[in-house]
Amino acid sequence: MTDLGDFGEFSADGDGDSGVSDGGTADIAGADRARASESAGDAEAGTETAEDSFESTAVEPRGEDVGIGAICVSQGLRIAEDSDDTTLRAYITRGNRSSIRIGSYLLAPYPDGGRGASTGETLFCRITGLEYAQQYHADDATEIHARRAMRTDDIEEADYKFVANLEPVAILYDDDGELKRRMTDRVPKPQTVIREADDTEAIKTGLKMPDDGVFLGHLSVGGEKVRTAASPPTIDYRLKDDYEAGDPLVFRHTLVAGGTGSGKTHGAKNVLRQYLADERRYPMADGRKVGPAVVQFDPQDEYAQMHDDNPDLDDEFARRLEREGVAYGGGDDTTAFIPKVGSSSYAAGHHRAEQVEFTIPFSMVHENPWLVAGSGLNDNQYGALVSVLLQRFREQYGADATYDEFTRFLDDPALREELDESGRVHEATFDAVRRRVLGFGHIFDQDARPITELVHEFVRPGGLTVVPTYHINDTRATETIVLALSSLLIDQKLSNDPTYDRIKETPLVLGMDEAHNFLTDADSVQAGKVIKKFTEAAKQGRKERLGLFLITQDPQDIHDAVFKQINTTIVLNLGDEDAIKSVNIPSNLESKVPYMEKGQMVVYSPDNSEPVELIGLPKCLTRHGRD
């Protein structure tokens, strides 16, 4: 009987006690000796006369390679209306394999007639899969194959096929000197040579990317910028921003979603800086071209820094920005509007923007009574507040009456008894309303100028207004202030008879960081009124020159009615599966989101381009971060 102990552990050095560590090693050693013997025999044969030798035959084709491979038909070649029925594959030659990545863009020309003749049409496609396949049928799942691999530094590429699965994106064609795209309606020929897309015009046309507009970042694949033969070699990605190609996308609303540390605020600042550029102008109904006013709600007190230059932005980087037409540098017309809330104080040593203190007058509640409703009132109680109590209060005290006067009005026991006996408001309903509307004394009518007197300064064409709320420790107060100001802007924008023409006649970008805190899908009267208002604002934005710029790390919490109106979605790194699913980006890009590094992003804007992957600028265009 054979003793299994004879088969010891494999030794890479082969210096075991017996000289042969096991049968596998013996096989390999024997094979090596056989090859050495054959080599020696070949050497001896080389000393024979020339008449006895054989002439070698060249197997490499003559000429130089062009491209990275060719269309193959071994598993079919099919273009279909249904992408699942499309079969498009390409063989990649050995020297090109290490540089190929999933997501890379390729070009395959359509020949017409004889080889070399061309119709001027080219298939623009994208790599969706890569695989190795055996060149020759053999079972390499064996001990000897594995151990041979362990003793070598590389593989023999000639033994394997390297095949790329391709997704047709569009057909590019020449139309009187202008490159255009159309849907894929032709199948490429077998053995068509493919090459990497390295021409800026071809790539932008293939992906339907505009040449001009608001700069977001540079096109990338797998976290690396796409390089071309042009100067600069990178491909800039921009959002349409003129009426020649449809409505500017800023007025069709933008969502920036990203987790902590993803570069969300950095990227948002860079985008907003483009809207503050001197050349950014939008035509109004009266024929004027006006720069947009940007109003940014800032819960972390970071956006007022946009007043200042970034000290880390050196001259060389600035020249690159100028060549690409990217606006940079601090905005002098940046003002921080500081809400006065109780005894809270605001410290601003991290920026040099002008500060203007303001308060919310209780008079604004007459137009938006849900501001004092909170999340506790039901429909019946809310009806009593709006239709009875606030209406009667206004009749008795006037439209400019204060919050303190309103609380004294509700403290009147005779009023409670009268409304109960008349059947207008039940005493239990009255008590519930009174409890809910108390606790706003530190919010309304504080010792500062009312925002209604500061509208001209609050909304400035070409200027940035930042409303920091970091110094406010009361969540209820923060929500009330943000919703009061945003409602003022939205109501005036949508009104046919506005009180403040300055708001109505100025293009407006309304930015809201941590938007999930204000536009949430909650079951309350207040949430319902807020969602209705913002949904209507989103629907009318194109007509009224009103754009929502929402920033969040929890996109799944934003109400679906608002989400559906968003045209441009910018997604940075998100780790939460529900958050990733909620942004509704294509599955091939969705899978990349959890692995994206800081500054990498996916942009899904159907009216602007095909879904793409971008890398944002490595430096903020304004000051960013606290010293």
Side-chain angles (χ1 to χ4, degrees):
M1 180 179 294
T2 303
D3 184 359
L4 295 179
D6 293 340
F7 296 90
E9 292 295 324
F10 173 75
S11 172
D13 297 330
D15 55 354
D17 294 338
S18 63
V20 179
S21 59
D22 61 17
T25 307
D27 290 342
I28 297 172
D32 290 342
R33 287 194 296 271
R35 284 194 296 272
S37 177
E38 292 172 2
S39 298
D42 292 343
E44 293 175 2
T47 63
E48 297 178 0
T49 61
E51 290 80 2
D52 296 328
S53 63
F54 292 94
E55 181 180 354
S56 61
T57 302
V59 295
E60 292 289 337
R62 295 183 178 180
E64 295 183 358
D65 290 345
V66 177
I68 63 171
I71 299 293
C72 55
V73 297
S74 57
Q75 297 185 24
L77 177 56
R78 174 183 173 86
I79 298 293
E81 290 183 343
D82 188 342
S83 59
D84 292 336
D85 294 332
T86 294
T87 302
L88 185 61
R89 293 161 64 84
Y91 177 91
I92 308 299
T93 55
R94 281 175 286 172
N96 295 295
R97 295 176 180 181
S98 61
S99 63
I100 299 302
R101 299 288 185 272
I102 290 179
S104 296
Y105 301 107
L106 304 178
L107 297 173
Y110 285 95
D112 188 23
R115 181 179 296 272
S118 174
T119 62
E121 294 186 349
T122 302
L123 176 65
F124 181 82
C125 51
R126 186 174 65 87
I127 297 178
T128 59
L130 295 170
E131 68 171 300
Y132 273 103
Q134 287 186 330
Q135 186 80 272
Y136 310 104
H137 181 69
D139 182 7
D140 59 357
T142 64
E143 185 77 6
I144 192 168
H145 275 83
R147 290 182 172 182
R148 280 178 178 167
M150 294 163 65
R151 292 188 173 193
T152 58
D153 295 331
D154 54 13
I155 67 170
E156 180 53 60
E157 289 281 351
D159 292 343
Y160 301 94
K161 295 183 287 186
F162 189 72
V163 180
N165 293 317
L166 309 180
E167 175 193 25
V169 178
I171 290 179
L172 310 182
Y173 65 98
D174 184 273
D175 183 18
D176 291 332
E178 180 182 359
L179 192 64
K180 294 185 177 180
R181 75 192 293 269
R182 71 167 191 270
M183 66 173 289
T184 306
D185 56 7
R186 297 181 63 189
V187 63
K189 301 292 185 182
Q191 298 186 27
T192 296
V193 174
I194 59 170
R195 63 180 178 86
E196 288 191 87
D198 60 357
D199 177 76
T200 300
E201 183 183 15
I203 294 175
K204 282 195 170 187
T205 304
L207 294 175
K208 200 179 67 172
M209 291 165 49
D211 290 325
D212 301 312
V214 176
F215 177 86
L216 295 189
H218 292 106
L219 186 68
S220 66
V221 170
E224 296 183 1
K225 294 179 183 179
V226 174
R227 300 283 175 173
T228 70
S231 180
T234 52
I235 299 177
D236 56 318
Y237 183 92
R238 299 175 182 271
L239 290 176
K240 294 177 184 175
D241 198 49
D242 59 62
Y243 283 92
E244 293 182 5
D247 296 309
L249 291 182
V250 60
F251 302 129
R252 300 188 64 183
H253 320 302
T254 304
L255 174 73
V256 179
T260 302
S262 65
K264 180 173 72 270
T265 303
H266 175 139
K269 282 184 176 182
N270 284 351
V271 176
L272 291 175
R273 179 62 184 88
Q274 305 313 300
Y275 291 119
L276 299 172
D278 293 337
E279 65 274 11
R280 197 72 59 202
R281 295 286 186 272
Y282 300 103
M284 302 301 291
D286 58 5
R288 296 176 303 123
K289 287 191 174 183
V290 183
V294 177
V295 176
Q296 176 69 32
F297 295 105
D298 184 7
Q300 297 300 323
D301 198 13
E302 298 175 295
Y303 290 88
Q305 293 178 321
M306 292 181 65
H307 173 276
D308 306 330
D309 292 338
N310 182 356
D312 296 329
L313 203 154
D314 54 63
D315 292 341
E316 181 181 354
F317 191 76
R319 286 193 294 271
R320 286 173 49 195
L321 296 173
E322 291 170 357
R323 287 196 300 268
E324 295 195 55
V326 178
Y328 67 93
D332 293 336
D333 192 2
T334 299
T335 303
F337 271 70
I338 315 300
K340 176 69 174 177
V341 176
S343 60
S344 64
S345 60
Y346 176 78
H350 57 290
H351 68 79
R352 296 184 292 109
E354 179 187 358
Q355 299 175 45
V356 176
E357 202 170 50
F358 73 94
T359 186
I360 303 294
F362 186 73
S363 60
M364 293 179 64
V365 172
H366 293 296
E367 296 297 328
N368 295 285
W370 47 266
L371 289 173
V372 292
S375 58
L377 293 183
N378 59 35
D379 290 338
N380 183 52
Q381 295 162 352
Y382 184 73
L385 171 67
V386 176
S387 302
V388 180
L389 296 176
L390 279 174
Q391 182 176 340
R392 183 155 179 174
F393 172 70
R394 183 168 182 170
E395 291 172 353
Q396 293 184 11
Y397 288 81
D400 295 328
T402 66
Y403 173 78
D404 287 342
E405 290 174 315
F406 183 60
T407 57
R408 290 197 297 271
F409 168 77
L410 295 178
D411 285 339
D412 185 0
L415 174 66
R416 176 179 180 273
E417 182 178 357
E418 175 197 337
L419 294 176
D420 181 54
E421 291 179 353
S422 65
R424 299 190 66 189
V425 180
H426 190 274
E427 60 182 8
T429 301
F430 185 96
D431 291 341
V433 172
R434 182 180 177 279
R435 287 195 302 271
R436 297 296 189 277
V437 301
L438 292 179
F440 289 90
H442 61 310
I443 301 174
F444 295 106
D445 308 313
Q446 298 300 292
D447 184 20
R449 290 183 64 188
I451 191 64
T452 49
E453 296 179 6
L454 294 168
V455 169
H456 200 78
E457 293 83 2
F458 190 67
V459 176
R460 305 180 311 282
L464 169 63
T465 292
V466 179
V467 183
T469 56
Y470 184 76
H471 64 293
I472 304 173
N473 296 322
D474 184 351
T475 301
R476 187 186 192 187
T478 298
E479 292 179 354
T480 301
I481 290 167
V482 172
L483 295 177
L485 295 180
S486 58
S487 294
L488 170 65
L489 298 172
I490 290 172
D491 289 342
Q492 293 299 303
K493 267 295 184 185
L494 303 185
S495 174
N496 292 323
D497 185 23
T499 303
Y500 305 101
D501 291 336
R502 180 60 170 259
I503 300 176
K504 182 72 173 182
E505 297 174 357
T506 303
L508 179 63
V509 178
L510 180 57
M512 183 177 288
D513 207 338
E514 296 188 5
H516 55 277
N517 289 333
F518 309 102
L519 304 179
T520 184
D521 186 5
D523 185 18
S524 68
V525 171
Q526 185 187 52
K529 298 295 183 181
V530 171
I531 295 304
K532 182 178 180 181
K533 183 181 294 291
F534 272 84
T535 302
E536 187 62 25
K539 289 179 178 179
Q540 299 295 324
R542 286 185 289 177
K543 182 178 70 173
E544 301 295 345
R545 311 301 198 267
L546 169 64
L548 302 180
F549 192 86
L550 309 180
I551 307 163
T552 180
Q553 61 182 353
D554 296 315
Q556 72 275 17
D557 292 339
I558 294 180
H559 196 282
D560 194 51
V562 176
F563 214 120
K564 287 180 178 178
Q565 303 301 320
I566 302 294
N567 187 270
T568 300
T569 304
I570 303 172
V571 185
L572 295 96
N573 181 281
L574 285 170
D576 184 81
E577 184 176 349
D578 291 336
I580 296 172
K581 291 291 184 185
S582 70
V583 293
N584 297 324
I585 59 178
S587 58
N588 65 293
L589 294 176
E590 184 180 281
S591 62
K592 297 183 179 183
V593 170
Y595 304 99
M596 292 194 301
E597 299 292 335
K598 184 174 182 179
Q600 291 180 235
M601 66 188 83
V602 167
V603 177
Y604 184 50
S605 184
D607 291 336
N608 193 67
S609 73
E610 297 284 340
V612 294
E613 177 189 342
L614 304 182
I615 293 181
L617 294 172
K619 297 182 181 181
C620 193
L621 298 171
T622 65
R623 188 176 179 182
H624 180 61
R626 304 193 182 211
D627 298 333

mmCIF file with all atom_site columns, all heavy atoms in Angstrom, residues 41-57:
data_model
loop_
_atom_site.group_PDB
_atom_site.id
_atom_site.type_symbol
_atom_site.label_atom_id
_atom_site.label_alt_id
_atom_site.label_comp_id
_atom_site.label_asym_id
_atom_site.label_entity_id
_atom_site.label_seq_id
_atom_site.pdbx_PDB_ins_code
_atom_site.Cartn_x
_atom_site.Cartn_y
_atom_site.Cartn_z
_atom_site.occupancy
_atom_site.B_iso_or_equiv
_atom_site.pdbx_formal_charge
_atom_site.auth_seq_id
_atom_site.auth_comp_id
_atom_site.auth_asym_id
_atom_site.auth_atom_id
_atom_site.pdbx_PDB_model_num
ATOM 1   N N   . GLY A 1 41 ? 19.050 19.677 -28.121 1.00 0.00 ? 41 GLY A N   1
ATOM 2   C CA  . GLY A 1 41 ? 19.002 19.049 -29.445 1.00 0.00 ? 41 GLY A CA  1
ATOM 3   C C   . GLY A 1 41 ? 18.854 20.078 -30.532 1.00 0.00 ? 41 GLY A C   1
ATOM 4   O O   . GLY A 1 41 ? 19.471 19.989 -31.603 1.00 0.00 ? 41 GLY A O   1
ATOM 5   N N   . ASP A 1 42 ? 18.026 21.103 -30.258 1.00 0.00 ? 42 ASP A N   1
ATOM 6   C CA  . ASP A 1 42 ? 17.858 22.166 -31.252 1.00 0.00 ? 42 ASP A CA  1
ATOM 7   C C   . ASP A 1 42 ? 19.167 22.895 -31.471 1.00 0.00 ? 42 ASP A C   1
ATOM 8   O O   . ASP A 1 42 ? 19.503 23.317 -32.580 1.00 0.00 ? 42 ASP A O   1
ATOM 9   C CB  . ASP A 1 42 ? 16.775 23.154 -30.784 1.00 0.00 ? 42 ASP A CB  1
ATOM 10  C CG  . ASP A 1 42 ? 15.393 22.494 -30.799 1.00 0.00 ? 42 ASP A CG  1
ATOM 11  O OD1 . ASP A 1 42 ? 15.253 21.444 -31.453 1.00 0.00 ? 42 ASP A OD1 1
ATOM 12  O OD2 . ASP A 1 42 ? 14.483 23.040 -30.136 1.00 0.00 ? 42 ASP A OD2 1
ATOM 13  N N   . ALA A 1 43 ? 19.924 23.075 -30.383 1.00 0.00 ? 43 ALA A N   1
ATOM 14  C CA  . ALA A 1 43 ? 21.209 23.777 -30.521 1.00 0.00 ? 43 ALA A CA  1
ATOM 15  C C   . ALA A 1 43 ? 22.166 22.983 -31.389 1.00 0.00 ? 43 ALA A C   1
ATOM 16  O O   . ALA A 1 43 ? 22.896 23.538 -32.217 1.00 0.00 ? 43 ALA A O   1
ATOM 17  C CB  . ALA A 1 43 ? 21.826 24.017 -29.131 1.00 0.00 ? 43 ALA A CB  1
ATOM 18  N N   . GLU A 1 44 ? 22.161 21.632 -31.166 1.00 0.00 ? 44 GLU A N   1
ATOM 19  C CA  . GLU A 1 44 ? 23.031 20.809 -32.001 1.00 0.00 ? 44 GLU A CA  1
ATOM 20  C C   . GLU A 1 44 ? 22.589 20.849 -33.446 1.00 0.00 ? 44 GLU A C   1
ATOM 21  O O   . GLU A 1 44 ? 23.392 20.912 -34.380 1.00 0.00 ? 44 GLU A O   1
ATOM 22  C CB  . GLU A 1 44 ? 23.011 19.368 -31.484 1.00 0.00 ? 44 GLU A CB  1
ATOM 23  C CG  . GLU A 1 44 ? 23.655 19.208 -30.100 1.00 0.00 ? 44 GLU A CG  1
ATOM 24  C CD  . GLU A 1 44 ? 23.509 17.792 -29.593 1.00 0.00 ? 44 GLU A CD  1
ATOM 25  O OE1 . GLU A 1 44 ? 22.955 16.954 -30.342 1.00 0.00 ? 44 GLU A OE1 1
ATOM 26  O OE2 . GLU A 1 44 ? 23.956 17.517 -28.468 1.00 0.00 ? 44 GLU A OE2 1
ATOM 27  N N   . ALA A 1 45 ? 21.258 20.828 -33.652 1.00 0.00 ? 45 ALA A N   1
ATOM 28  C CA  . ALA A 1 45 ? 20.754 20.885 -35.034 1.00 0.00 ? 45 ALA A CA  1
ATOM 29  C C   . ALA A 1 45 ? 21.154 22.173 -35.696 1.00 0.00 ? 45 ALA A C   1
ATOM 30  O O   . ALA A 1 45 ? 21.317 22.257 -36.908 1.00 0.00 ? 45 ALA A O   1
ATOM 31  C CB  . ALA A 1 45 ? 19.229 20.738 -35.027 1.00 0.00 ? 45 ALA A CB  1
ATOM 32  N N   . GLY A 1 46 ? 21.339 23.206 -34.882 1.00 0.00 ? 46 GLY A N   1
ATOM 33  C CA  . GLY A 1 46 ? 21.702 24.488 -35.470 1.00 0.00 ? 46 GLY A CA  1
ATOM 34  C C   . GLY A 1 46 ? 23.079 24.469 -36.075 1.00 0.00 ? 46 GLY A C   1
ATOM 35  O O   . GLY A 1 46 ? 23.434 25.360 -36.858 1.00 0.00 ? 46 GLY A O   1
ATOM 36  N N   . THR A 1 47 ? 23.881 23.487 -35.742 1.00 0.00 ? 47 THR A N   1
ATOM 37  C CA  . THR A 1 47 ? 25.235 23.407 -36.311 1.00 0.00 ? 47 THR A CA  1
ATOM 38  C C   . THR A 1 47 ? 25.264 22.654 -37.631 1.00 0.00 ? 47 THR A C   1
ATOM 39  O O   . THR A 1 47 ? 26.292 22.563 -38.282 1.00 0.00 ? 47 THR A O   1
ATOM 40  C CB  . THR A 1 47 ? 26.180 22.709 -35.321 1.00 0.00 ? 47 THR A CB  1
ATOM 41  O OG1 . THR A 1 47 ? 25.730 21.353 -35.117 1.00 0.00 ? 47 THR A OG1 1
ATOM 42  C CG2 . THR A 1 47 ? 26.183 23.423 -33.967 1.00 0.00 ? 47 THR A CG2 1
ATOM 43  N N   . GLU A 1 48 ? 24.076 22.116 -38.011 1.00 0.00 ? 48 GLU A N   1
ATOM 44  C CA  . GLU A 1 48 ? 24.039 21.406 -39.281 1.00 0.00 ? 48 GLU A CA  1
ATOM 45  C C   . GLU A 1 48 ? 24.094 22.387 -40.436 1.00 0.00 ? 48 GLU A C   1
ATOM 46  O O   . GLU A 1 48 ? 23.992 23.602 -40.264 1.00 0.00 ? 48 GLU A O   1
ATOM 47  C CB  . GLU A 1 48 ? 22.765 20.555 -39.338 1.00 0.00 ? 48 GLU A CB  1
ATOM 48  C CG  . GLU A 1 48 ? 22.727 19.456 -38.253 1.00 0.00 ? 48 GLU A CG  1
ATOM 49  C CD  . GLU A 1 48 ? 21.420 18.672 -38.304 1.00 0.00 ? 48 GLU A CD  1
ATOM 50  O OE1 . GLU A 1 48 ? 20.593 18.991 -39.175 1.00 0.00 ? 48 GLU A OE1 1
ATOM 51  O OE2 . GLU A 1 48 ? 21.247 17.747 -37.481 1.00 0.00 ? 48 GLU A OE2 1
ATOM 52  N N   . THR A 1 49 ? 24.199 21.856 -41.613 1.00 0.00 ? 49 THR A N   1
ATOM 53  C CA  . THR A 1 49 ? 24.292 22.686 -42.810 1.00 0.00 ? 49 THR A CA  1
ATOM 54  C C   . THR A 1 49 ? 22.972 23.380 -43.080 1.00 0.00 ? 49 THR A C   1
ATOM 55  O O   . THR A 1 49 ? 21.908 22.939 -42.633 1.00 0.00 ? 49 THR A O   1
ATOM 56  C CB  . THR A 1 49 ? 24.671 21.824 -44.022 1.00 0.00 ? 49 THR A CB  1
ATOM 57  O OG1 . THR A 1 49 ? 23.643 20.845 -44.212 1.00 0.00 ? 49 THR A OG1 1
ATOM 58  C CG2 . THR A 1 49 ? 26.003 21.122 -43.758 1.00 0.00 ? 49 THR A CG2 1
ATOM 59  N N   . ALA A 1 50 ? 23.036 24.444 -43.807 1.00 0.00 ? 50 ALA A N   1
ATOM 60  C CA  . ALA A 1 50 ? 21.844 25.218 -44.141 1.00 0.00 ? 50 ALA A CA  1
ATOM 61  C C   . ALA A 1 50 ? 20.850 24.392 -44.926 1.00 0.00 ? 50 ALA A C   1
ATOM 62  O O   . ALA A 1 50 ? 19.637 24.606 -44.852 1.00 0.00 ? 50 ALA A O   1
ATOM 63  C CB  . ALA A 1 50 ? 22.235 26.471 -44.933 1.00 0.00 ? 50 ALA A CB  1
ATOM 64  N N   . GLU A 1 51 ? 21.370 23.398 -45.740 1.00 0.00 ? 51 GLU A N   1
ATOM 65  C CA  . GLU A 1 51 ? 20.465 22.593 -46.550 1.00 0.00 ? 51 GLU A CA  1
ATOM 66  C C   . GLU A 1 51 ? 19.552 21.741 -45.683 1.00 0.00 ? 51 GLU A C   1
ATOM 67  O O   . GLU A 1 51 ? 18.445 21.365 -46.083 1.00 0.00 ? 51 GLU A O   1
ATOM 68  C CB  . GLU A 1 51 ? 21.261 21.692 -47.501 1.00 0.00 ? 51 GLU A CB  1
ATOM 69  C CG  . GLU A 1 51 ? 21.984 22.413 -48.623 1.00 0.00 ? 51 GLU A CG  1
ATOM 70  C CD  . GLU A 1 51 ? 23.287 23.017 -48.145 1.00 0.00 ? 51 GLU A CD  1
ATOM 71  O OE1 . GLU A 1 51 ? 23.607 22.827 -46.939 1.00 0.00 ? 51 GLU A OE1 1
ATOM 72  O OE2 . GLU A 1 51 ? 23.968 23.691 -48.931 1.00 0.00 ? 51 GLU A OE2 1
ATOM 73  N N   . ASP A 1 52 ? 20.041 21.370 -44.440 1.00 0.00 ? 52 ASP A N   1
ATOM 74  C CA  . ASP A 1 52 ? 19.240 20.505 -43.577 1.00 0.00 ? 52 ASP A CA  1
ATOM 75  C C   . ASP A 1 52 ? 18.212 21.272 -42.737 1.00 0.00 ? 52 ASP A C   1
ATOM 76  O O   . ASP A 1 52 ? 17.362 20.667 -42.119 1.00 0.00 ? 52 ASP A O   1
ATOM 77  C CB  . ASP A 1 52 ? 20.165 19.747 -42.611 1.00 0.00 ? 52 ASP A CB  1
ATOM 78  C CG  . ASP A 1 52 ? 21.096 18.817 -43.378 1.00 0.00 ? 52 ASP A CG  1
ATOM 79  O OD1 . ASP A 1 52 ? 20.679 18.317 -44.428 1.00 0.00 ? 52 ASP A OD1 1
ATOM 80  O OD2 . ASP A 1 52 ? 22.231 18.609 -42.895 1.00 0.00 ? 52 ASP A OD2 1
ATOM 81  N N   . SER A 1 53 ? 18.291 22.618 -42.661 1.00 0.00 ? 53 SER A N   1
ATOM 82  C CA  . SER A 1 53 ? 17.378 23.403 -41.822 1.00 0.00 ? 53 SER A CA  1
ATOM 83  C C   . SER A 1 53 ? 16.100 23.760 -42.567 1.00 0.00 ? 53 SER A C   1
ATOM 84  O O   . SER A 1 53 ? 16.056 23.735 -43.785 1.00 0.00 ? 53 SER A O   1
ATOM 85  C CB  . SER A 1 53 ? 18.074 24.689 -41.364 1.00 0.00 ? 53 SER A CB  1
ATOM 86  O OG  . SER A 1 53 ? 18.385 25.495 -42.481 1.00 0.00 ? 53 SER A OG  1
ATOM 87  N N   . PHE A 1 54 ? 15.049 24.116 -41.788 1.00 0.00 ? 54 PHE A N   1
ATOM 88  C CA  . PHE A 1 54 ? 13.764 24.502 -42.362 1.00 0.00 ? 54 PHE A CA  1
ATOM 89  C C   . PHE A 1 54 ? 13.635 26.020 -42.368 1.00 0.00 ? 54 PHE A C   1
ATOM 90  O O   . PHE A 1 54 ? 14.107 26.698 -41.452 1.00 0.00 ? 54 PHE A O   1
ATOM 91  C CB  . PHE A 1 54 ? 12.614 23.901 -41.549 1.00 0.00 ? 54 PHE A CB  1
ATOM 92  C CG  . PHE A 1 54 ? 12.535 22.395 -41.650 1.00 0.00 ? 54 PHE A CG  1
ATOM 93  C CD1 . PHE A 1 54 ? 13.152 21.585 -40.698 1.00 0.00 ? 54 PHE A CD1 1
ATOM 94  C CD2 . PHE A 1 54 ? 11.857 21.797 -42.699 1.00 0.00 ? 54 PHE A CD2 1
ATOM 95  C CE1 . PHE A 1 54 ? 13.084 20.213 -40.789 1.00 0.00 ? 54 PHE A CE1 1
ATOM 96  C CE2 . PHE A 1 54 ? 11.786 20.414 -42.794 1.00 0.00 ? 54 PHE A CE2 1
ATOM 97  C CZ  . PHE A 1 54 ? 12.388 19.614 -41.838 1.00 0.00 ? 54 PHE A CZ  1
ATOM 98  N N   . GLU A 1 55 ? 12.950 26.547 -43.356 1.00 0.00 ? 55 GLU A N   1
ATOM 99  C CA  . GLU A 1 55 ? 12.709 28.003 -43.447 1.00 0.00 ? 55 GLU A CA  1
ATOM 100 C C   . GLU A 1 55 ? 11.496 28.348 -42.594 1.00 0.00 ? 55 GLU A C   1
ATOM 101 O O   . GLU A 1 55 ? 10.428 27.731 -42.728 1.00 0.00 ? 55 GLU A O   1
ATOM 102 C CB  . GLU A 1 55 ? 12.454 28.400 -44.896 1.00 0.00 ? 55 GLU A CB  1
ATOM 103 C CG  . GLU A 1 55 ? 12.227 29.902 -45.063 1.00 0.00 ? 55 GLU A CG  1
ATOM 104 C CD  . GLU A 1 55 ? 11.975 30.272 -46.522 1.00 0.00 ? 55 GLU A CD  1
ATOM 105 O OE1 . GLU A 1 55 ? 12.089 29.372 -47.373 1.00 0.00 ? 55 GLU A OE1 1
ATOM 106 O OE2 . GLU A 1 55 ? 11.675 31.448 -46.769 1.00 0.00 ? 55 GLU A OE2 1
ATOM 107 N N   . SER A 1 56 ? 11.630 29.318 -41.678 1.00 0.00 ? 56 SER A N   1
ATOM 108 C CA  . SER A 1 56 ? 10.515 29.712 -40.815 1.00 0.00 ? 56 SER A CA  1
ATOM 109 C C   . SER A 1 56 ? 9.505  30.536 -41.603 1.00 0.00 ? 56 SER A C   1
ATOM 110 O O   . SER A 1 56 ? 9.852  31.269 -42.525 1.00 0.00 ? 56 SER A O   1
ATOM 111 C CB  . SER A 1 56 ? 11.034 30.535 -39.629 1.00 0.00 ? 56 SER A CB  1
ATOM 112 O OG  . SER A 1 56 ? 11.663 31.710 -40.090 1.00 0.00 ? 56 SER A OG  1
ATOM 113 N N   . THR A 1 57 ? 8.228  30.397 -41.194 1.00 0.00 ? 57 THR A N   1
ATOM 114 C CA  . THR A 1 57 ? 7.142  31.117 -41.861 1.00 0.00 ? 57 THR A CA  1
ATOM 115 C C   . THR A 1 57 ? 6.629  32.214 -40.936 1.00 0.00 ? 57 THR A C   1
ATOM 116 O O   . THR A 1 57 ? 6.301  31.953 -39.775 1.00 0.00 ? 57 THR A O   1
ATOM 117 C CB  . THR A 1 57 ? 5.984  30.170 -42.215 1.00 0.00 ? 57 THR A CB  1
ATOM 118 O OG1 . THR A 1 57 ? 6.499  29.138 -43.046 1.00 0.00 ? 57 THR A OG1 1
ATOM 119 C CG2 . THR A 1 57 ? 4.864  30.910 -42.923 1.00 0.00 ? 57 THR A CG2 1
#
